[in-house]
Amino acid sequence: KITLQEQTKVATTLAKRLTAGDINEIIQLMQGGMSVTEKRKAKDIILDRLSSEEYNDLIQIAAKYGLSQGKSYEESLKE
């Protein structure tokens, strides 16, 4: 189970970097499940807003719980 410290880090980072419009767009993309195209769009928003260090920190948390392949910021930009 994700720790309180990890939850706080994810929530704080996303709240600090994403605009209300970004969050609403990601929520819209998530409704009814996400296609590969929708996942890519959400990832692009996050890559655009977070620094490489912030992104890598959050991806490490997600990968720990099997929610990500663990690709770094640089690897993700190449996709």
Side-chain angles (χ1 to χ4, degrees), residues 6 8-9 11-12 20 41 55 59 77:
E6 290 167 331
T8 302
K9 181 167 186 77
T12 302
K41 176 65 177 162
Y55 181 86
I59 285 301
L77 285 176

Side-chain angles (χ1 to χ4, degrees), residues 19-75:
T19 66
D22 294 334
I23 293 168
N24 285 333
E25 186 170 358
I26 291 170
I27 290 169
Q28 290 294 320
L29 292 169
M30 292 172 59
Q31 291 181 350
M34 295 179 82
S35 67
V36 172
T37 302
E38 290 167 328
K39 287 179 187 178
R40 181 75 232 172
K41 176 65 177 162
K43 189 173 186 177
D44 286 344
I45 292 168
I46 293 168
L47 283 167
D48 188 48
R49 300 287 189 229
L50 271 58
S51 70
S52 61
E53 182 179 338
E54 290 167 330
Y55 181 86
N56 290 338
D57 287 348
L58 298 189
I59 285 301
Q60 286 179 347
I61 293 169
K64 180 178 175 181
Y65 298 99
L67 302 172
S68 170
Q69 295 176 352
K71 293 181 182 175
S72 71
Y73 182 86
E74 290 76 20
E75 290 170 322

